[in-house]
Amino acid sequence: MYKSIACRYHEIATKGHNRSMFENKLVANMRTLCEYEGMEGLVFQRIRGRIFIRKLKNGIFSSEEMEKMKNVLSRSFGLESFSPVIECEPDINRILNVIGESARGIFEEKLKTCDVVQFRTRARRSDKTFPLRSREIEIEAATRLQEIFGEKIKVNLDHPEISIGVEVRDRIALVYYETFKGPGGLPVGTNSHVLALLSGGIDSPVACHMTMKRGCHVDFLTFHSFPYTPMESVDKVKRLASVLNRYQKKGRLYSCNISELQKLIRDNCNPRYRTILYRRQMMRIAEKICRFQKLNAIVTGESVGQVASQTIVNLSIINDATRMLILRPLAGLDKLESIERAEKIGTYHISIEAFPDSCTVFAPPSPAVAAKFYLVEEEEKKIPNLEEELEKAFRSIEKYEDL
Ligand code: ATP
Ligand code: MG
């Protein structure tokens, strides 16, 4: 029965003179994500603090199409909430008729399972010249419904089974029955492009998602150690990237083989510093991609204190390998929170598939928990031809688009 979806946004509304840029990005992103779901030919209209989505020629959304739209919109960063709406002229009689017509099916469906349906009406008017105040609109609407359904319905302001929303604007009025939560945050692309180090683990996909939520477009970089890790681990990361790309205009995945570097570190350096030394080389390679591709920060799934390489001391030694800004959105999360988020994002079931990660091959038996800076630097000097080896690893990079 719906021809229109009204989208609300929140944080963008505070953006002053940049607001238009934020709104345009939000619309462009929604359009792209809709196209990924096969929903093309939609019309997006921005009207004062709302975005309306309609089909061409004002067609009705089928229930299958509406499901797709709900999926897309729940992934469109920047949206606070959205509702399928029935539009009509901003006239109280028209509004009451629309409620009378549309409520019938909805109430009758509920009445199949109970004798009395609890409901409430909720109104707001952004057009202050409208002759009725919000409260009066609510009462009129409730009265109309009670005229239709009599004893079978009852007002319940706190725990209604059906809530009818009315919004009166200057040129239209909206009637709606459901409000879905959007993901919040800012539209992807309103902040810089960044490069995320994406392993096959649970944390890094969550870090990507949190960074997108702050408006950054994310490209991905994964390190593998073929032939010491199977190519299936890269396939796994491709699948993770593809889930994450459902939240943004598709980012690319770079995959880099660092097995040669790892072997040199294994054969020449103190095993206690191996993981830190691997990480430092990862940062250098990531930085190089960022410089070439004009990406402005590196993102990792590191969380403070989670494993030996993530003590503050070790994180700062890893940091020191690059001058790039490193974002660690998971810094303050514990593993359970991270798992919860991964489940919601849809990456968890992929992350827990067991494939060896490039950091676990040649992993040291007892890594340093608080490495000494100067010792790490001394160990690093023992890697033969480090610059050349980094260059070689960089040249091994493969790119995957359209995941
Ligand atoms: P994750 O679950 O994301 O793998 P983790 O808790 O297992 O995290 P680590 O294995 O120590 O932690 O990795 C910390 C971070 O370093 C990862 O979140 C990721 O950003 C980066 N990282 C580790 N291994 C790789 C890899 N093979 N390719 C790309 N990035 C990696
Ligand atoms: Mg890991």
mmCIF file of all heavy atoms in Angstrom, residues 199-204 279 306-307 310 335 357 359-360, ligand 2:
data_model
loop_
_atom_site.group_PDB
_atom_site.id
_atom_site.type_symbol
_atom_site.label_atom_id
_atom_site.label_comp_id
_atom_site.label_asym_id
_atom_site.label_seq_id
_atom_site.Cartn_x
_atom_site.Cartn_y
_atom_site.Cartn_z
ATOM 1 N N SER A 199 42.139 -8.519 8.266
ATOM 2 C CA SER A 199 42.608 -9.900 8.387
ATOM 3 C C SER A 199 41.366 -10.765 8.266
ATOM 4 O O SER A 199 40.282 -10.272 8.016
ATOM 5 C CB SER A 199 43.261 -10.093 9.749
ATOM 6 O OG SER A 199 42.293 -9.961 10.761
ATOM 7 N N GLY A 200 41.520 -12.055 8.474
ATOM 8 C CA GLY A 200 40.326 -12.901 8.431
ATOM 9 C C GLY A 200 39.661 -12.990 9.792
ATOM 10 O O GLY A 200 38.730 -13.759 9.971
ATOM 11 N N GLY A 201 40.127 -12.186 10.752
ATOM 12 C CA GLY A 201 39.628 -12.311 12.130
ATOM 13 C C GLY A 201 38.295 -11.623 12.356
ATOM 14 O O GLY A 201 37.635 -11.149 11.422
ATOM 15 N N ILE A 202 37.920 -11.552 13.609
ATOM 16 C CA ILE A 202 36.618 -10.982 13.965
ATOM 17 C C ILE A 202 36.691 -9.452 14.043
ATOM 18 O O ILE A 202 35.758 -8.747 13.666
ATOM 19 C CB ILE A 202 36.169 -11.546 15.342
ATOM 20 C CG1 ILE A 202 35.922 -13.049 15.216
ATOM 21 C CG2 ILE A 202 34.917 -10.833 15.855
ATOM 22 C CD1 ILE A 202 35.806 -13.756 16.558
ATOM 23 N N ASP A 203 37.811 -8.950 14.523
ATOM 24 C CA ASP A 203 37.892 -7.532 14.883
ATOM 25 C C ASP A 203 38.005 -6.560 13.707
ATOM 26 O O ASP A 203 37.349 -5.516 13.700
ATOM 27 C CB ASP A 203 39.094 -7.293 15.809
ATOM 28 C CG ASP A 203 38.939 -8.037 17.121
ATOM 29 O OD1 ASP A 203 37.786 -8.209 17.551
ATOM 30 O OD2 ASP A 203 39.954 -8.446 17.689
ATOM 31 N N SER A 204 38.861 -6.887 12.763
ATOM 32 C CA SER A 204 39.109 -5.869 11.730
ATOM 33 C C SER A 204 37.858 -5.531 10.900
ATOM 34 O O SER A 204 37.665 -4.357 10.567
ATOM 35 C CB SER A 204 40.312 -6.231 10.852
ATOM 36 O OG SER A 204 40.309 -7.571 10.503
ATOM 37 N N ARG A 279 54.263 -6.562 11.981
ATOM 38 C CA ARG A 279 53.284 -5.466 11.979
ATOM 39 C C ARG A 279 53.909 -4.177 11.454
ATOM 40 O O ARG A 279 53.276 -3.403 10.744
ATOM 41 C CB ARG A 279 52.744 -5.213 13.382
ATOM 42 C CG ARG A 279 51.751 -6.200 13.867
ATOM 43 C CD ARG A 279 50.458 -6.099 13.085
ATOM 44 N NE ARG A 279 49.873 -7.423 12.979
ATOM 45 C CZ ARG A 279 49.260 -8.044 13.967
ATOM 46 N NH1 ARG A 279 49.103 -7.436 15.122
ATOM 47 N NH2 ARG A 279 48.801 -9.249 13.809
ATOM 48 N N GLN A 306 44.368 -6.607 24.114
ATOM 49 C CA GLN A 306 43.725 -7.870 23.780
ATOM 50 C C GLN A 306 44.713 -9.042 23.649
ATOM 51 O O GLN A 306 44.455 -10.138 24.100
ATOM 52 C CB GLN A 306 42.919 -7.717 22.499
ATOM 53 C CG GLN A 306 41.907 -8.815 22.297
ATOM 54 C CD GLN A 306 41.172 -8.644 20.990
ATOM 55 O OE1 GLN A 306 41.689 -8.968 19.932
ATOM 56 N NE2 GLN A 306 39.977 -8.110 21.049
ATOM 57 N N VAL A 307 45.808 -8.791 22.970
ATOM 58 C CA VAL A 307 46.863 -9.820 22.832
ATOM 59 C C VAL A 307 48.214 -9.128 23.049
ATOM 60 O O VAL A 307 48.282 -7.900 23.144
ATOM 61 C CB VAL A 307 46.834 -10.485 21.421
ATOM 62 C CG1 VAL A 307 45.641 -11.403 21.270
ATOM 63 C CG2 VAL A 307 46.846 -9.446 20.306
ATOM 64 N N GLN A 310 49.254 -6.012 21.375
ATOM 65 C CA GLN A 310 48.365 -4.870 21.547
ATOM 66 C C GLN A 310 48.481 -4.212 22.930
ATOM 67 O O GLN A 310 47.558 -3.525 23.385
ATOM 68 C CB GLN A 310 46.920 -5.293 21.253
ATOM 69 C CG GLN A 310 46.778 -5.745 19.801
ATOM 70 C CD GLN A 310 45.420 -6.331 19.462
ATOM 71 O OE1 GLN A 310 44.479 -6.225 20.232
ATOM 72 N NE2 GLN A 310 45.313 -6.957 18.311
ATOM 73 N N LYS A 335 36.379 -8.172 23.676
ATOM 74 C CA LYS A 335 36.129 -9.130 22.591
ATOM 75 C C LYS A 335 34.639 -9.447 22.434
ATOM 76 O O LYS A 335 34.148 -9.572 21.304
ATOM 77 C CB LYS A 335 36.941 -10.407 22.853
ATOM 78 C CG LYS A 335 37.104 -11.309 21.645
ATOM 79 C CD LYS A 335 38.127 -10.784 20.664
ATOM 80 C CE LYS A 335 38.131 -11.559 19.357
ATOM 81 N NZ LYS A 335 39.182 -11.066 18.439
ATOM 82 N N ASP A 357 46.016 -17.667 9.535
ATOM 83 C CA ASP A 357 46.246 -16.269 9.210
ATOM 84 C C ASP A 357 47.742 -16.073 9.035
ATOM 85 O O ASP A 357 48.536 -16.799 9.625
ATOM 86 C CB ASP A 357 45.722 -15.408 10.373
ATOM 87 C CG ASP A 357 45.961 -13.934 10.112
ATOM 88 O OD1 ASP A 357 45.209 -13.372 9.312
ATOM 89 O OD2 ASP A 357 46.896 -13.355 10.708
ATOM 90 N N CYS A 359 49.636 -14.023 10.235
ATOM 91 C CA CYS A 359 50.393 -13.702 11.450
ATOM 92 C C CYS A 359 50.582 -14.909 12.343
ATOM 93 O O CYS A 359 51.372 -14.882 13.270
ATOM 94 C CB CYS A 359 49.692 -12.602 12.229
ATOM 95 S SG CYS A 359 50.142 -11.031 11.551
ATOM 96 N N THR A 360 49.785 -15.954 12.093
ATOM 97 C CA THR A 360 49.948 -17.117 12.962
ATOM 98 C C THR A 360 50.998 -18.077 12.422
ATOM 99 O O THR A 360 51.538 -18.870 13.173
ATOM 100 C CB THR A 360 48.602 -17.841 13.193
ATOM 101 O OG1 THR A 360 47.953 -17.984 11.938
ATOM 102 C CG2 THR A 360 47.727 -17.069 14.146
HETATM 103 MG MG MG B 2 43.997 -11.725 13.758
#
